[in-house]
Amino acid sequence: MKNDLSSTTPRRIALNQAKDCLTIDYAGDLRHQLRAEYLRVLSPSAEVRGHGPGQEVLQYGKRLVTIDSITKSGNYAIQIYFNDGHDSGIFTWSYLYDLGANYEDHWATYLETLRQAGQSRDPDTQVVKLV
């Protein structure tokens, strides 16, 4: 599927009953399922990404985060309101598509960054390194 605006515009976005996973359907029977934790830690907000390269802020302890609500932002994006109070990221159609299409790479990079920082996906957990 070509990665242009028409191919990255979802046909349908649905939040599951547990509010911890978005299902995004695209033309051609393509479907991405994105967990709330994944969306939260990779939020496109300045709070997460910073204002330039090297200013990213590692998000940790977000394993149990859920989605309170979603609103449409124009004809090109959604805004996701998470139960931890985070609500400043605007997820464009192309960014959501990238998150789904490249899930394995994004998630592996996040997990490795988390490991290197000695942080955990679990809230209120400290990682102790034994030397």
Side-chain angles (χ1 to χ4, degrees):
M1 179 178 273
K2 206 167 70 173
N3 192 0
D4 61 27
L5 184 58
S6 62
S7 65
T8 62
T9 301
R11 287 188 339 204
R12 179 176 177 267
I13 299 175
L15 179 61
N16 71 350
Q17 190 170 359
K19 295 189 170 198
D20 63 359
C21 186
L22 276 186
T23 298
I24 305 172
D25 293 330
Y26 297 94
D29 295 327
L30 179 63
R31 172 176 284 175
H32 294 152
Q33 292 187 311
L34 306 176
R35 292 188 329 267
E37 176 190 14
Y38 177 67
L39 293 165
R40 175 60 181 86
V41 301
L42 293 176
S43 170
S45 71
E47 175 188 328
V48 174
R49 295 178 98 177
H51 292 285
Q55 296 182 3
E56 300 85 4
V57 177
L58 180 62
Q59 304 296 299
Y60 55 89
K62 302 298 180 185
R63 183 189 300 264
L64 303 178
V65 76
T66 59
I67 296 170
D68 283 338
S69 64
I70 301 166
T71 58
K72 194 170 177 188
S73 183
N75 290 320
Y76 68 96
I78 56 173
Q79 185 169 4
I80 301 175
Y81 299 84
F82 296 93
N83 72 332
D84 68 351
H86 182 73
D87 64 3
S88 59
I90 302 294
F91 291 79
T92 64
W93 299 150
S94 60
Y95 187 61
L96 282 169
Y97 186 88
D98 175 67
L99 288 176
N102 298 298
Y103 171 82
E104 291 84 8
D105 290 339
H106 290 310
W107 189 243
T109 299
Y110 169 71
L111 292 177
E112 179 57 21
T113 304
L114 203 62
R115 186 193 67 74
Q116 289 179 6
Q119 296 293 347
S120 172
R121 292 174 54 209
D122 295 308
D124 301 323
T125 298
Q126 283 189 324
V127 176
V128 177
K129 293 182 181 177
L130 301 176
V131 203

